[in-house]
Amino acid sequence: MKHISTLLFLAAFIFFIHQPEKVQAQFGGIGFGDIQNIQVDNLTDAEILNFYRQMMAQGFTIQEVGNIARARGMPASEVARLSARLNQVATGRDRDDAAAIRSIARTGDGAQLLFDQPIPLEDELLISELRRLVMERSEQDLLRELDLILEEGFPIFGVNLFAGSSLSFEPSLNIPTPIDYIFGPDDELRIEIWGAAEQSYRLNVDPDGNIRIPNLGPIRVSGLTYTEARDRILRNLSRIYSGLNADDPTRGNTFADVSLGNVRSINVSMIGEVRQPGSYTVSSLATVFNMLYAAGGPSRSGSWRQIQIIRGDDIVTEFDLYDLIVHATQTDNIRLQDQDIIRIPPYINRVRLFGEVKRPGLYEMKEGETLNDLVEFSGGFAENAYTDRIILRRKTNIQQSISDVRWPEGGDIEMRNGDEIEITELTDRYENRVRIEGPVFRAGDYEFTEGMTLLELIDKAEGTRDEAFLDRGIIIRNQANLMLESIAFSITDIREGYSDDIRLRRDDLVRISSIFDLQETFTVAVRGAVNRPDRFEYLRDMTIQDAIYLANGLRDEAASYRVEVARRVIDGDIRTKVNQIAEIFTFDIDENFRFRDRDSEFRLQPFDQIFVRTKPNYQRQLTVRIEGEVQFPGEYVLERRDSRLSDIIEQAGGLSQYASAEGASMQRILEISTTEVEREGFASRSAMLDLLNLQDVNLNRFETVNDTTYTPVGIRLQDALRNPRGNNDILVFEGDIISIPRQLQTIRVEGGVLAPVTMRYVPGRSLQSYIDAAGGTTDTGQRHRAYIVYANGEVDRVKRFLRMRSNPSVEAGATIIVPEKPPAQVMTPQQTIALTSAILNTTILLFTVIDRVVRD
């Protein structure tokens, strides 16, 4: 079904592409042909409203219109604006504007009422046929017929009969010889003789029309029907077969039969209003319909009712395709002969039938045929047809007319060329319906009878359910001015006789509420060290044990001796704000959910929150990872809460002999993961960084591993090992990664230098000399703002004081970075003109002021 819906959308989209002018005219200034160039904000409310009306009349939804506009290349932002304005019209927000637009519109010198422009009938029929094809035809047939529709327009009735026709069409030869078949040259006859004598003949009719049987001579069969030719052949055979009796085969002892073998080919010409005119060579068994099928049927302007078969100079018959399509009658579907001509003249009368009929379309009508015949051709009315008023639009010599026809009284109206007949559908309104909604056993629509009361309707619905709120309900009723009226009632008062029963009217809606609909949903929350912290529905007489049980019990770290219940402070007598906003209760429970003392009598109330605290000394294992030049690299568990760098190095067996303590570095988790961003409701990680005042941090220098972002931490491992527990021996946290490199011997220079390079570290060499070794700075390089990133993550920069420059020391493994000037912003010609104009205006104003001051 989804694929078929896609085909329908493609069909509609192709239709709009092929007919942009027509759609432009229909939608009053908004056309799909150039919709990608439309600025929605520039469209008036009248244009939007007119577009919406035509869109709904043609059966398109706002979403489908958006898809078509997007496919035509309309920007997504404009599509969103168009959809928003159409939704405003759909929800009635532009009702006032719509009322104004429906007022009198003036054109020229006079005034005329602004009627909705009717959709061109050809387009309405096209859309209707496309929808029918999608629902009724196979995908292959749909695509084939869709091509035909896009090429020629809406198909006339019966055109799908010739869908998929082919020039290679041939009638079936696996049939008995037709008794009306007329033999001719090149036909093959098969003669079988059995009984007292046996013989078999396969004889061809020669150009002279004869067959030749040995010992008999020529026998003429050309121009004879099968019955005539068989009798003549059998009489001649009886001359050489004495046991063969042609008049009464039962009196002889020899029998014979004649049948048609290979048939001859004939030439038939197709002329007139035919899709593929020309001369066709077909089997002599071909009929008129076989030839029409081979030629693709009548063209769009051809007649389906008066197809002429010309033989010699005479019209031997006229074939009516409607007899075959509607009544399956083949009286005039004669067998063709050589050199026959089939002529399809132009149609004379054609009418258009659309709406609630089984086969809407264009129909050809003969003189004298009536509306009754047209309805019969269409297969009859659809199930939703409103037949008390059939709309007939007719063209006169001067103008058009419209008539209301009542069925079946008006079925004898004679159809004329150009008539348009519309069958409307039943209105979505019931003449005897009432509806009941809410907690009754059988809610829904019921038959309304005169004098029906509210209690009778409730009894028909088999009464109210237990949760029904009986003290109040409402009846929604349509008033005479179409305004809605609300009538309140109490089922309890009516049943007990305190109020009168209410008499219902047609289309009344009785609405009864449930007691659960009229109150807030009561819940309790369980949080903390439980297996499933969540909110649960409140149950009457619910206890803490019940709530913890619903939360799947306590976790291992739960401090069962510390369970708190937080309750809302509700006091109906206090009309002013008070300081206390919650009441806290503390309890002790054991692992079997049993209270101590009399706490078991405590009952929860709606919206209570239960907190199960965690044991103070409970701590899951925290790990750090150490990499590089240590004796035993890997993950290690922190033994104490105050574990430090030196402790981890000691756990790893100390540094290896190749380690460079000066270049050791550490990375720490910046606790911003994608999962946390989504959980906290931020649009992006940048939004969360802004909240943490980290928007100026260069995130490109951070490392992301498995959706976790790490930030470098500058450490001095050599000082930490030399002075454990000192200032440089910092605390380590879970997830820290400590990297101990091998001995470093290089320096990296990058940024605004001519040749970014990694070079050998020379002790005592200055930072500026390393920059010069990289070719010096570029035109945009800022030497005075150079900085250095040490291997351990610390950063230092060039300092200036009283034009005196102080360069940081350089250590092995460091990276020297020369910042670059930001690219200069080039002004556009418009900006240059605007700036020049502003300067000139300011200058002129200044001279004017000075001149006035001097004169004064």
Side-chain angles (χ1 to χ4, degrees):
M1 190 63 189
K2 181 179 180 182
H3 193 44
I4 289 296
S5 300
T6 304
L7 288 173
L8 177 60
F9 166 71
L10 290 175
F13 173 54
I14 298 173
F15 165 66
F16 282 116
I17 291 178
H18 282 260
Q19 297 182 335
E21 297 83 1
K22 183 179 295 185
V23 176
Q24 180 78 21
Q26 289 178 18
F27 290 167
I30 305 178
F32 280 90
D34 60 347
I35 196 170
Q36 66 274 14
N37 300 322
I38 290 177
Q39 297 295 326
V40 177
D41 292 338
N42 296 335
L43 297 177
T44 65
D45 293 338
E47 290 174 327
I48 289 291
L49 181 61
N50 189 39
F51 177 82
Y52 177 78
R53 287 176 177 173
Q54 303 296 340
M55 176 194 77
M56 296 302 295
Q58 292 202 5
F60 288 98
T61 65
I62 295 177
Q63 182 179 2
E64 290 173 341
V65 169
N67 291 338
I68 295 173
R70 192 177 295 107
R72 290 287 298 166
M74 190 178 195
S77 58
E78 291 297 320
V79 173
R81 293 190 185 98
L82 178 61
S83 300
R85 295 193 65 179
L86 291 175
N87 279 317
Q88 287 181 350
V89 176
T91 54
R93 297 178 183 174
D94 292 344
R95 192 172 299 162
D96 295 337
D97 296 336
I101 294 172
R102 286 195 295 268
S103 61
I104 296 177
R106 300 186 177 275
T107 56
D109 297 329
Q112 63 179 6
L113 291 177
L114 181 62
F115 287 92
D116 291 340
Q117 293 297 324
I119 303 171
L121 182 61
E122 191 81 9
D123 298 337
E124 183 168 329
L125 291 175
L126 172 57
I127 295 174
S128 175
E129 178 67 7
L130 288 174
R131 296 185 183 276
R132 185 189 67 80
L133 287 174
V134 168
M135 300 303 297
E136 299 180 2
R137 303 293 295 277
S138 67
E139 184 176 325
Q140 186 176 11
D141 287 345
L142 170 63
L143 293 175
R144 181 169 50 245
E145 193 153 342
L146 181 60
D147 291 337
L148 182 63
I149 292 174
L150 294 176
E151 180 182 353
E152 300 188 358
F154 183 77
I156 63 175
F157 168 66
V159 72
N160 55 355
L161 185 66
F162 298 100
S165 60
S166 172
L167 289 175
S168 61
F169 170 82
E170 291 183 359
S172 174
L173 301 179
N174 297 322
I175 57 173
T177 304
I179 59 175
D180 60 345
Y181 181 78
I182 298 177
F183 288 97
D186 291 335
D187 277 341
E188 181 188 57
L189 281 76
R190 296 178 180 177
I191 303 174
E192 299 291 338
I193 300 174
W194 70 95
E198 292 187 3
Q199 186 63 46
S200 177
Y201 300 97
R202 297 174 67 92
L203 308 171
N204 290 328
V205 181
D206 60 25
D208 295 329
N210 301 320
I211 59 172
R212 298 181 182 276
I213 301 176
N215 301 322
L216 280 180
I219 302 174
R220 184 171 183 81
V221 295
S222 181
L224 301 180
T225 64
Y226 168 73
T227 303
E228 295 170 343
R230 181 177 181 277
D231 291 343
R232 177 173 295 184
I233 291 172
L234 293 181
R235 291 186 183 280
N236 280 274
L237 287 174
S238 63
R239 292 163 47 194
I240 58 176
Y241 293 97
S242 58
L244 180 63
N245 189 328
D247 295 327
D248 187 2
T250 59
R251 295 185 177 182
N253 57 7
T254 302
F255 308 93
D257 188 28
V258 179
S259 62
L260 180 64
N262 294 328
V263 298
R264 70 185 186 278
S265 297
I266 61 175
N267 187 272
V268 179
S269 298
M270 300 291 298
I271 62 175
E273 303 300 323
V274 63
R275 290 189 181 277
Q276 298 173 354
S279 181
Y280 292 81
T281 300
V282 295
S283 164
S284 57
L285 292 174
T287 63
V288 177
F289 178 72
N290 296 146
M291 283 305 305
L292 289 173
Y293 191 89
S299 66
R300 187 165 182 79
S301 58
S303 172
W304 290 62
R305 311 292 306 276
Q306 297 175 331
I307 301 173
Q308 301 172 350
I309 293 86
I310 303 173
R311 188 166 293 160
D313 295 330
D314 300 325
I315 299 176
V316 296
T317 188
E318 285 190 352
F319 180 54
D320 188 343
L321 267 171
Y322 281 21
D323 288 341
L324 179 63
I325 298 173
V326 179
H327 305 294
T329 301
Q330 300 194 63
T331 304
D332 297 323
N333 187 26
I334 63 174
R335 206 169 304 280
L336 298 174
Q337 297 184 15
D338 192 35
Q339 301 305 318
D340 278 355
I341 298 174
I342 299 178
R343 176 179 175 271
I344 302 179
Y347 72 88
I348 298 177
N349 296 321
R350 181 172 287 173
V351 300
R352 300 178 175 182
L353 176 65
F354 64 100
E356 296 300 315
V357 291
K358 295 179 180 177
R359 290 194 292 259
L362 307 179
Y363 288 83
E364 183 179 351
M365 307 295 291
K366 290 183 177 180
E367 293 294 334
E369 289 185 331
T370 63
L371 180 60
N372 284 324
D373 299 316
L374 178 61
V375 173
E376 181 183 6
F377 294 156
S378 69
F381 298 110
E383 58 275 8
N384 292 327
Y386 178 67
T387 58
D388 284 351
R389 178 178 178 263
I390 297 176
I391 302 173
L392 171 62
R393 296 182 179 89
R394 176 164 288 175
K395 299 176 177 63
T396 64
N397 294 333
I398 301 176
Q399 57 188 357
Q400 299 186 29
S401 67
I402 185 170
S403 303
D404 294 337
V405 179
R406 187 180 180 87
W407 182 268
E409 292 84 352
D412 295 332
I413 296 179
E414 185 174 336
M415 296 290 96
R416 298 180 185 175
N417 186 39
D419 283 352
E420 298 174 1
I421 299 92
E422 178 183 1
I423 313 297
T424 58
E425 64 178 348
L426 294 171
T427 59
D428 187 17
R429 185 181 180 186
Y430 290 82
E431 62 182 13
N432 60 340
R433 178 188 68 172
V434 289
R435 175 178 295 177
I436 184 169
E437 296 178 351
V440 293
F441 285 98
R442 296 193 178 275
D445 296 337
Y446 286 88
E447 177 189 5
F448 169 75
T449 56
E450 193 65 33
M452 187 176 186
T453 65
L454 174 62
L455 290 184
E456 290 176 355
L457 176 60
I458 294 175
D459 291 339
K460 281 190 174 184
E462 299 188 4
T464 57
R465 296 203 299 266
D466 294 338
E467 68 271 18
F469 182 70
L470 303 180
D471 291 338
R472 188 173 184 85
I474 60 172
I475 299 175
I476 301 176
R477 176 172 292 171
N478 283 320
Q479 295 178 319
N481 60 358
L482 300 183
M483 296 293 290
L484 294 179
E485 176 186 9
S486 175
I487 303 174
F489 62 86
S490 169
I491 299 177
T492 301
D493 290 347
I494 295 176
R495 286 176 176 174
E496 295 179 358
Y498 297 113
S499 298
D500 295 332
D501 200 356
I502 300 176
R503 299 187 65 174
L504 300 179
R505 297 181 185 176
R506 188 188 71 176
D507 284 335
D508 276 356
L509 170 60
V510 179
R511 182 168 293 166
I512 302 172
S513 297
S514 167
I515 58 176
F516 302 114
D517 297 334
L518 301 177
Q519 68 180 15
E520 185 178 0
T521 302
F522 291 163
T523 62
V524 294
V526 183
R527 301 177 181 176
V530 292
N531 289 310
R532 189 167 71 94
D534 202 348
R535 289 185 177 272
F536 303 96
E537 183 179 359
Y538 171 76
L539 306 174
R540 188 172 182 178
D541 292 332
M542 193 176 189
T543 65
I544 298 177
Q545 299 101 310
D546 298 331
I548 295 177
Y549 176 79
L550 292 176
N552 292 342
L554 303 175
R555 291 209 302 263
D556 182 54
E557 68 267 25
S560 58
Y561 50 83
R562 186 74 177 185
V563 178
E564 296 177 1
V565 176
R567 176 168 296 171
R568 295 180 179 179
V569 174
I570 301 175
D571 193 336
D573 295 333
I574 296 179
R575 299 176 182 269
T576 59
K577 290 185 178 181
V578 295
N579 186 40
Q580 185 177 4
I581 60 175
E583 189 175 1
I584 308 298
F585 304 90
T586 304
F587 303 94
D588 290 348
I589 59 174
D590 58 22
E591 63 276 5
N592 295 322
F593 307 112
R594 288 195 298 266
F595 280 104
R596 299 171 184 174
D597 302 327
R598 300 185 59 184
D599 292 342
S600 58
E601 299 177 1
F602 184 83
R603 295 293 182 266
L604 296 177
Q605 293 184 6
F607 310 112
D608 279 355
Q609 294 188 8
I610 303 168
F611 297 88
V612 180
R613 302 304 179 185
T614 303
K615 296 175 183 177
N617 294 321
Y618 185 89
Q619 178 65 60
R620 61 183 179 84
Q621 294 86 342
L622 305 178
T623 61
V624 296
R625 189 167 79 247
I626 185 167
E627 302 172 343
E629 295 299 326
V630 291
Q631 299 297 337
F632 304 102
E635 287 192 353
Y636 289 88
V637 176
L638 301 181
E639 295 182 6
R640 299 186 304 273
R641 297 181 187 273
D642 61 347
S643 295
R644 298 175 180 267
L645 271 175
S646 59
D647 299 327
I648 300 302
I649 298 298
E650 183 180 354
Q651 283 184 261
L655 302 179
S656 71
Q657 57 181 336
Y658 306 106
S660 173
E662 298 84 356
S665 63
M666 185 170 72
Q667 295 191 44
R668 178 160 292 169
I669 295 177
L670 181 64
E671 296 184 357
I672 302 176
S673 64
T674 301
T675 304
E676 292 178 348
V677 170
E678 295 175 353
R679 184 175 67 245
E680 297 297 333
F682 289 96
S684 63
R685 179 177 286 140
S686 300
M688 195 166 184
L689 289 173
D690 291 342
L691 183 65
L692 298 175
N693 294 325
L694 296 175
Q695 63 271 20
D696 296 328
V697 177
N698 183 10
L699 294 181
N700 293 328
R701 300 194 59 82
F702 295 170
E703 181 181 0
T704 300
V705 179
N706 295 330
D707 199 33
T708 301
T709 301
Y710 291 86
T711 179
V713 177
I715 62 174
R716 296 184 178 182
L717 182 60
Q718 190 172 15
D719 294 340
L721 296 177
R722 187 181 300 117
N723 184 20
R725 303 288 170 174
N727 292 334
N728 292 317
D729 193 9
I730 64 175
L731 296 173
V732 291
F733 297 152
E734 181 186 17
D736 284 353
I737 302 175
I738 304 170
S739 299
I740 312 297
R742 300 184 68 179
Q743 295 179 356
L744 303 173
Q745 297 179 337
T746 59
I747 295 294
R748 172 72 183 172
V749 183
E750 59 185 37
V753 293
L754 293 176
V757 66
T758 300
M759 63 187 68
R760 181 172 58 86
Y761 168 69
V762 179
R765 194 172 186 180
S766 68
L767 180 142
Q768 298 298 332
S769 65
Y770 282 109
I771 295 176
D772 293 337
T777 60
T778 62
D779 293 338
T780 59
Q782 297 176 294
R783 181 189 290 264
H784 63 282
R785 298 186 62 187
Y787 62 94
I788 184 170
V789 180
Y790 296 104
N792 65 355
E794 292 185 341
V795 181
D796 200 358
R797 64 183 179 86
V798 176
K799 301 180 180 64
R800 297 174 63 89
F801 178 73
L802 299 178
R803 304 188 64 85
M804 300 283 294
R805 182 183 299 168
S806 173
N807 295 318
S809 62
V810 180
E811 297 179 1
T815 300
I816 299 172
I817 301 174
V818 179
E820 296 183 270
K821 296 178 183 178
Q825 184 177 2
V826 180
M827 297 179 60
T828 63
Q830 294 83 354
Q831 292 174 330
T832 303
I833 294 173
L835 179 60
T836 304
S837 176
I839 295 174
L840 291 176
N841 290 335
T842 303
T843 304
I844 294 173
L845 178 61
L846 179 62
F847 279 112
T848 303
V849 171
I850 295 173
D851 182 63
R852 288 186 178 181
V853 171
V854 172
R855 290 182 180 181
D856 292 342

